[in-house]
Amino acid sequence: MSIPLSYSLRARLLFFLLAAIVVGALVQGTIAYRSTLQQADDIFDSLLQRTALSLGTGDGLLSTGPTHARGAGTPFADDLIIQIWTPDGLRVFNSRSRQPLPDQIVLGFSDAKVEGSTYRVYSLATPFQVIQVAQDMGVRTHMARSLALRTIAPIAAAAPLLMLVIWCVVSWSLRPVKRARAQVAARQPEDLSPVSTDDVPDEIRPLLQELNLLLERMRGAFALQKQFVGDAAHELRSPLAALRLQSQALQRAHDPESRRVAEQRLTAGIDRATRLIEQLLSLARHEGAAERPAPDRVDLDDVIRQAVSETLQDANAKSISLAMHAPAPVQVLGHRDDLVLLVRNLLDNAIKYSPPGSRIDLGLAAPDCRAALTIDDQGPGIAPAERTRVFDRFYRAEGNSQHGSGLGLAIARSIAERHGATIVLEDAPAGQGLRARVDFPAA
């Protein structure tokens, strides 16, 4: 069973704390009230008993007339009735002659009803007389309740004061939360600066710290997105302008040969623009993905075969042979489609920069329970000073005459980082060309 209560922390604290105070005050007041009534009843019974005992030590002195007259003016006259009998049953004293008690004598405590009123009676027998002291239960109850109410009065007065203190303490304690909420609510959408954690309770500080970490990640993601959009716009401007020029050249062509050349150039320009857009989308998908499915065990030799089949047409167009060396199956944890894209981008670069009729070797090894993928080409290679910068987006090495977008290695590095792998560029073992080595962690 759930209580339909607001999800406000302040409302919940106040509700449960104030309810606890009210329940506690009621329970404490009830216990104090009943305890006081019981104690008052015991005190009044003790008063009756002591009165009878004190009268019993007077050796019949109260049986005289003056004593009777004095008894009517004593404090007992208002709420106590005293009767004294001789041993032979003759009543010699009655503090209230108009309201006598029953003649039957029950030694000790008993209750008696007289004219619709209930009396608490204590009877005591001595060798000289029998003493009966009674008290009206209505008077006793009234006095006991007055005493009990005076006992619970401080509790009733303290409960509202305590509730007010709790209200103020809770409101004051939650002021930093309200201040932090106002600080976040007043922000502009582009404001991703950290939220202040000054004077914040320890229970709220970790939440704000995690929020600041999230804002920091968002700043990095937005900066990356802004840079990506700027770079993409810059890179798309050139191929689109080239397509426009080639389209105009096609329109101006008058003879079939000129038209054929213009059409070939336009088709090649469209292919380059399509390839650039595909790589831009691939880079955006891998760098912007926040959540991905759980990795599976992937056979790298199957990944290489798939990548080779997708690039074989380009290799055949340049009469480049592709050789694969995989002595034993090697498995890694990851996503198969992403790994195929990684290997395909590395192969694209190798095919693009390798001379016609050359050879590209792909190798797999598992040193020290790790996985290593190597791609060796016979191209011009990359200068050691530029082997780090070529992984930057849209960067192309100096002296590069091949058409490209400069995104292949950036995409490959992004995929490798998501798989906990590293890509290293080094000289090919044959002394000519470049080796791209991808080191995967143990599966």
Side-chain angles (χ1 to χ4, degrees):
M1 179 179 179
S2 60
I3 301 176
L5 189 63
S6 171
Y7 281 97
S8 168
L9 179 61
R10 180 175 180 270
R12 285 175 173 265
L13 286 174
L14 289 176
F15 175 82
F16 288 110
L17 289 177
L18 297 182
I21 293 174
V22 172
V23 173
L26 290 176
V27 172
Q28 186 178 5
T30 301
I31 294 175
Y33 183 82
R34 296 177 66 88
S35 176
T36 303
L37 288 180
Q38 182 63 39
Q39 292 177 4
D41 197 54
D42 294 340
I43 291 174
F44 290 136
D45 283 348
S46 178
L47 175 62
L48 293 178
Q49 188 176 22
R50 289 200 305 270
T51 302
L53 290 174
S54 64
L55 293 174
T57 59
D59 296 331
L61 295 177
L62 290 176
S63 62
T64 62
T67 305
H68 177 279
R70 182 182 59 195
T74 61
F76 303 125
D78 294 334
D79 58 341
L80 295 181
I81 300 176
I82 301 175
Q83 294 186 145
I84 300 178
W85 286 269
T86 60
D88 55 1
L90 178 62
R91 183 163 54 198
V92 297
F93 179 79
N94 182 12
S95 62
R96 294 184 181 180
S97 57
R98 295 182 180 180
Q99 196 174 20
L101 293 175
D103 292 338
Q104 64 269 24
I105 301 299
V106 179
L107 297 180
F109 289 100
S110 62
D111 295 330
K113 286 190 175 182
V114 179
E115 298 179 358
S117 300
T118 303
Y119 289 85
R120 183 68 168 170
V121 182
Y122 180 77
S123 301
L124 174 66
T126 66
F128 304 101
Q129 55 193 0
V130 176
I131 303 170
Q132 195 176 41
V133 183
Q135 185 179 35
D136 191 342
M137 290 297 293
V139 177
R140 171 189 284 208
T141 302
H142 177 71
M143 296 175 63
R145 286 179 178 173
S146 298
L147 182 60
L149 290 176
R150 286 195 297 269
T151 303
I152 66 173
I155 300 175
L161 180 60
L162 185 58
M163 293 171 69
L164 179 61
V165 171
I166 291 295
W167 186 288
C168 295
V169 169
V170 170
S171 300
W172 178 80
S173 299
L174 294 178
R175 284 176 60 189
V177 180
K178 185 177 180 181
R179 185 169 59 249
R181 182 189 64 184
Q183 182 181 357
V184 175
R187 286 171 174 253
Q188 297 298 322
E190 65 275 5
D191 185 6
L192 298 177
S193 59
V195 179
S196 175
T197 58
D198 297 337
D199 300 328
V200 173
D202 293 339
E203 292 78 8
I204 305 298
R205 182 173 288 108
L207 175 62
L208 294 182
Q209 290 174 346
E210 292 299 327
L211 176 61
N212 288 335
L213 292 177
L214 175 61
L215 292 175
E216 183 178 356
R217 293 194 294 269
M218 292 179 64
R219 285 197 304 273
F222 286 165
L224 189 64
Q225 182 183 24
K226 185 176 180 180
Q227 180 184 357
F228 174 81
V229 171
D231 292 342
H234 179 269
E235 291 297 322
L236 285 172
R237 187 180 298 114
S238 297
L240 291 178
L243 287 177
R244 181 177 180 84
L245 293 176
Q246 291 161 2
S247 175
Q248 294 175 352
L250 179 62
Q251 293 175 356
R252 290 194 300 266
H254 299 291
D255 58 283
E257 181 64 23
S258 300
R259 182 177 296 275
R260 184 182 64 80
V261 173
E263 287 177 351
Q264 290 178 349
R265 291 177 178 177
L266 180 60
T267 301
I270 293 174
D271 291 339
R272 287 195 297 271
T274 301
R275 177 61 176 165
L276 174 60
I277 293 174
E278 289 178 352
Q279 288 191 318
L280 285 173
L281 294 177
S282 297
L283 182 62
R285 183 175 68 250
H286 286 89
E287 289 190 346
E291 296 183 1
R292 300 185 66 83
D296 298 324
R297 287 185 175 271
V298 180
D299 292 326
L300 278 183
D301 48 343
D302 290 340
V303 170
I304 294 177
R305 291 189 182 93
Q306 178 68 27
V308 168
S309 66
E310 295 179 2
T311 57
L312 187 58
Q313 182 177 359
D314 295 335
N316 291 336
K318 297 180 67 175
S319 300
I320 297 175
S321 61
L322 303 177
M324 176 179 172
H325 306 279
V330 178
Q331 290 186 335
V332 296
L333 288 176
H335 304 92
R336 189 178 188 278
D337 293 340
D338 293 348
L339 293 176
V340 169
L341 181 60
L342 183 153
V343 178
R344 191 182 69 190
N345 277 289
L346 295 178
L347 268 177
D348 279 340
N349 274 0
I351 294 172
K352 183 183 300 182
Y353 296 107
S354 293
S358 61
R359 173 190 176 96
I360 296 177
D361 294 317
L362 296 92
L364 273 181
D368 301 329
C369 299
R370 295 170 61 88
L373 164 67
T374 58
I375 300 178
D376 299 333
D377 62 43
Q378 297 177 352
I382 299 176
E386 294 187 342
R387 289 176 183 175
T388 302
R389 295 194 60 191
V390 292
F391 288 101
D392 296 338
R393 292 177 298 179
F394 306 110
Y395 178 81
R396 305 185 66 193
E398 295 183 2
N400 185 2
S401 60
Q402 298 291 333
H403 294 288
S405 61
L407 289 175
L409 290 179
I411 295 173
R413 182 180 63 176
S414 177
I415 298 175
E417 289 176 349
R418 284 190 171 274
H419 288 76
T422 57
I423 301 179
V424 180
L425 301 180
E426 53 193 13
D427 294 331
Q432 179 184 359
L434 182 72
R435 162 174 283 189
R437 189 180 79 246
V438 185
D439 294 323
F440 293 90

